[in-house]
Amino acid sequence: MLGTCSRWAVLPLVLLLLSHRVQATALTAMLAGSERSCYYADVDGTGEKIGFYFAVQSGGNFDVDFVVMDPDDKLLLEGSNEKQGDYIFTANKIGEYSFCFENEASMSDKLLDFDIMVESEPRRALSAQQAPLREHTSTLEESTYKISGLLSSITRSQKYFHTRHHRNYSTVLSTQSRIFWFTVLESVIVIGMSILQIWVLKTFFSRSGRRYKV
């Protein structure tokens, strides 16, 4: 019982040791046809991790071009006609990183969901006075990192299903629109054929100059 209590007592300490600064931006944006849109994130120290995720929710073929540049305008990532992407890289320079989306090759508007995350995860070492807590903190530390990994996996799965939902919904709307206009066209053709048949019959019976009432 004492061991369990001591573990709960050191849990805040472990959370403090595992605490790290995180800056995250989750946005939904509309990218018009033939438009280029850029977003920026500041990095305050070298070695920080940058996470970049995006997905095209609706519009056109669900694709977009993108580029990621460092503070010196050096190309880090690029893609053409990408539907979604999930990247993690290390920032080697301090400054402003740019994340640009391009829809210049398409005339249709695109709905984008994207996340830009900058985080630093230093593992702080325990001092000599805290050495007796190493046995407890090491176990809790590994458990915390496992939970963090599982939560990250769940978050990615949710993003995937969210994207699939939007794309399927967009496909359903597009299919409904096509069915409607196909029905209208079919009705116009049927009405036109009926009028044409009546005209042909009237012309056929009036060739001899006589008119027959049908």
Side-chain angles (χ1 to χ4, degrees):
M1 182 67 180
L2 182 59
T4 304
C5 293
S6 61
R7 289 190 178 186
W8 284 106
V10 300
L11 181 57
L13 176 61
V14 175
L15 295 178
L16 178 62
L17 295 176
L18 297 177
S19 62
H20 53 275
R21 180 173 52 83
V22 178
Q23 298 177 359
T25 302
L27 296 173
T28 298
M30 182 65 71
L31 188 65
S34 303
E35 182 185 3
R36 175 188 173 95
S37 181
C38 294
Y39 302 87
Y40 303 90
D42 291 323
V43 175
D44 299 328
T46 58
E48 293 187 348
K49 298 294 183 181
I50 300 179
F52 175 50
Y53 167 85
F54 73 91
V56 183
Q57 303 294 337
S58 63
N61 295 323
F62 307 101
D63 58 350
V64 71
D65 302 336
F66 74 94
V67 292
V68 179
M69 311 285 287
D70 69 359
D72 297 332
D73 291 333
K74 179 181 177 181
L75 182 63
L76 299 178
L77 296 171
E78 66 175 339
S80 178
N81 299 326
E82 297 288 341
K83 296 184 177 180
Q84 66 184 71
D86 193 356
Y87 305 93
I88 297 177
F89 58 94
T90 303
N92 296 320
K93 296 180 180 179
I94 300 174
E96 190 176 65
Y97 287 73
S98 62
F99 305 81
C100 297
F101 298 100
E102 298 179 359
N103 192 28
E104 298 178 353
S106 175
M107 298 301 297
S108 60
D109 297 344
K110 308 289 179 65
L111 180 64
L112 296 175
D113 275 356
F114 62 94
D115 292 339
I116 300 174
M117 181 178 62
V118 180
E119 67 176 329
S120 177
E121 297 184 349
R123 289 202 179 191
R124 301 179 182 179
L126 293 174
S127 62
Q129 296 178 351
Q130 298 170 335
L133 299 177
R134 290 182 183 274
E135 180 181 355
H136 300 296
T137 57
S138 60
T139 303
L140 291 174
E141 183 178 357
E142 294 302 324
S143 299
T144 305
Y145 272 99
K146 288 181 181 179
I147 294 174
S148 177
L150 292 174
L151 290 176
S152 177
S153 177
I154 293 173
T155 301
R156 293 175 186 272
S157 298
Q158 288 179 335
K159 289 180 179 179
Y160 171 78
F161 288 117
H162 179 71
T163 301
R164 293 297 302 174
H165 167 74
H166 275 276
R167 291 179 181 174
N168 291 337
Y169 181 71
S170 179
T171 301
V172 169
L173 292 181
S174 176
T175 303
Q176 287 179 344
S177 177
R178 292 179 182 180
I179 291 174
F180 171 77
W181 289 112
F182 179 79
T183 303
V184 171
L185 178 62
E186 186 179 27
S187 300
V188 171
I189 293 175
V190 170
I191 295 173
M193 290 297 296
S194 301
I195 296 174
L196 180 63
Q197 288 178 355
I198 295 173
W199 179 81
V200 170
L201 288 173
K202 292 183 66 176
T203 304
F204 177 77
F205 286 108
S206 61
R207 283 181 179 179
S208 58
R210 301 177 182 178
R211 299 179 62 87
Y212 296 90
K213 188 174 181 180
V214 180

